[in-house]
């Protein structure tokens, strides 16, 4: 008999918050499994609305092998207008499918899972690409929403000990709340209304909802600076051409008018790409210490599967899933 479980968001949050280092390790392993070809990660599918041009719902189907052996799909909505009402921009569910039978085995509330895998990816990149300098110097976080807050939590789990954290957002109250959150983690934090000041930090994190580049094209990044281009569209293509560029997946990043996609259109090629984060992790690719490095992750469904499988396993062990008896209307073929 096939069972079907639901994992509510509060259960998923408890699991994720208790061991962020484990989530970072899961994301690291998923990247390496994906790089080794033991995954299937098709293009994301975007549902857009003519009367709501800034809103979208995205489907991310994927299969992850390497011991996880699950398929699934994340269905995540991004409605920026929610923020004006004090609600999170994003909401999501994750369906996990058994690889042997194809049957769905669980439905998880996944806004927290999505934020955690994104933040774990950012923290892993900061630790891998910048080492001690990125984690101990001055940090700027540009954009002050749920993703930004979650990234600071995961940076702390990765060994972050910043000298100072600058929080920049067009909505100053949000920047103030993020600064207060960072302060609660034990770090010195303040807001800044100056984008230029933020861009001068050793580690710069972009976590905005920007639809197109706004950072000045004549901005110069310093050697050794690490830029986490999480929101993907803040940076002009000219800026990328003067830095090492590390992506999560090259093909995925070269679409939807992301900064790397714009750089490809500008140059007519991909020579500006240094490699993937998995290639850096494995030692196949090294970055130039004489240049800044920009990490641009499009966001892979295999990461949602890795983190979702972990959450489901932990929730089942704690007996905190909600079983749905009789979910499948036909248990036998005959």
């Amino acid at each position: 008999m096939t069972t079907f479980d639901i994992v509510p968001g509060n259960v998923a949050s408890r699991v994720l918050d208790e061991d962020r280092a484990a989530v970072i390790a899961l994301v690291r392993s998923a990247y390496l499994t994906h790089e080794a070809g033991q995954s299937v990660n098709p293009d994301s599918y975007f549902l857009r609305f003519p009367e709501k041009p800034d809103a979208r719902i995205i489907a991310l189907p994927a299969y992850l092998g390497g011991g996880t052996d699950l398929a699934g799909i994340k269905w995540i909505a991004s409605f920026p207008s929610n923020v004006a009402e004090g609600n999170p921009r994003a909401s999501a569910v994750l369906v996990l499918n058994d690889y042997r039978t194809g049957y769905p085995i669980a439905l998880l509330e996944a806004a927290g899972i999505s934020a955690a895998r994104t933040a774990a990816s950012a923290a892993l990149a900061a630790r891998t690409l910048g080492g001690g300098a990125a984690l101990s110097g001055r940090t700027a976080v540009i954009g002050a929403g749920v993703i930004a807050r979650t990234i600071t939590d995961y940076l702390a789990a990765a060994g972050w000990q910043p000298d100072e954290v600058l929080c920049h957002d067009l909505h100053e109250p949000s920047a103030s709340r993020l600064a207060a959150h960072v302060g609660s983690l034990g770090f010195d934090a303040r807001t800044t209304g100056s984008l230029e000041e933020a861009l001068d930090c050793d580690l710069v994190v972009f976590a905005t909802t920007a639809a197109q580049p706004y950072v000045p094209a004549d901005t110069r990044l310093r050697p050794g600076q690490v830029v986490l281009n999480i929101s993907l569209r803040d940076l002009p293509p000219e800026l990328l051409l003067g830095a090492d560029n590390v992506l999560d997946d090259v093909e995925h990043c070269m679409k939807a008018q992301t900064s790397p996609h714009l750089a490809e259109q500008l140059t007519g090629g991909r020579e500006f790409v240094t490699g993937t984060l998995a290639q850096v992790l494995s030692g196949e690719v090294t970055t130039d210490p004489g240049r800044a490095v920009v990490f641009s992750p499009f966001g892979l469904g295999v990461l949602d599967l890795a983190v979702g499988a972990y959450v489901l396993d932990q929730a089942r062990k704690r007996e905190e899933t909600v079983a749905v008896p009789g979910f499948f209307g036909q248990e036998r073929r005959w």
Side-chain angles (χ1 to χ4, degrees), residues 126-139:
R127 188 172 66 191
T128 303
L129 302 174
L135 294 177
S136 63
R138 297 170 72 237
T139 295

Side-chain angles (χ1 to χ4, degrees), residues 48-55 79 81:
R48 298 186 183 277
F49 310 93
E51 296 181 0
K52 292 186 174 185
D54 63 338
F79 279 55
S81 60

Side-chain angles (χ1 to χ4, degrees), residues 262-334:
L262 295 177
E264 180 186 38
Q265 294 175 36
L266 179 65
T267 63
R270 299 179 177 179
E271 291 78 10
F272 65 93
V273 176
T274 307
T276 66
L277 183 60
Q279 289 173 328
V280 177
L281 287 167
S282 66
E284 182 181 345
V285 166
T286 57
T287 57
D288 182 353
R291 290 161 62 91
V293 58
V294 177
F295 175 58
S296 299
F298 194 80
L300 302 178
V302 293
L303 303 186
D304 296 292
L305 293 185
V307 177
Y310 168 73
V311 169
L312 176 61
D313 179 65
Q314 292 297 311
R316 282 177 168 173
K317 288 178 179 177
R318 302 171 188 215
E319 298 183 346
E320 292 186 333
T321 61
V322 179
V324 184
F327 180 81
F328 297 99
Q330 186 167 318
E331 292 288 345
R332 301 296 300 173
R333 185 167 178 264
W334 289 105

Side-chain angles (χ1 to χ4, degrees), residues 125-263:
R127 188 172 66 191
T128 303
L129 302 174
L135 294 177
S136 63
R138 297 170 72 237
T139 295
V141 183
I142 300 171
V146 172
I147 297 298
R149 182 181 71 230
T150 310
I151 287 173
T152 63
D153 291 336
Y154 276 82
L155 283 171
W160 189 42
Q161 291 291 329
D163 293 333
E164 183 183 37
V165 181
L166 306 185
C167 302
H168 176 81
D169 195 286
L170 295 177
H171 185 244
E172 199 282 332
S174 293
S176 294
R177 292 189 184 100
L178 179 61
H181 178 74
V182 174
S184 74
L185 299 176
F187 307 125
D188 291 333
R190 62 179 175 88
T191 64
T192 177
S194 169
L195 177 62
E196 183 179 4
E197 182 183 28
L199 291 172
D200 190 46
C201 288
D202 302 289
L203 174 64
V204 181
V205 182
F206 285 96
T208 75
T209 59
Q212 58 189 16
Y214 58 86
V215 173
D218 60 357
T219 299
R220 293 291 176 265
L221 300 177
R222 299 193 316 273
Q225 260 188 308
V226 175
V227 177
L228 304 182
N229 184 28
I230 306 303
S231 39
L232 281 177
R233 295 172 180 84
D234 306 74
L235 303 177
E238 295 86 354
L239 189 147
L240 268 61
L241 302 183
D244 277 356
N245 289 278
V246 176
L247 315 181
D248 58 352
D249 182 289
V250 177
E251 290 299 327
H252 281 265
C253 281
M254 299 301 180
K255 59 174 65 73
Q257 302 301 303
T258 64
S259 296
H261 188 203
L262 295 177

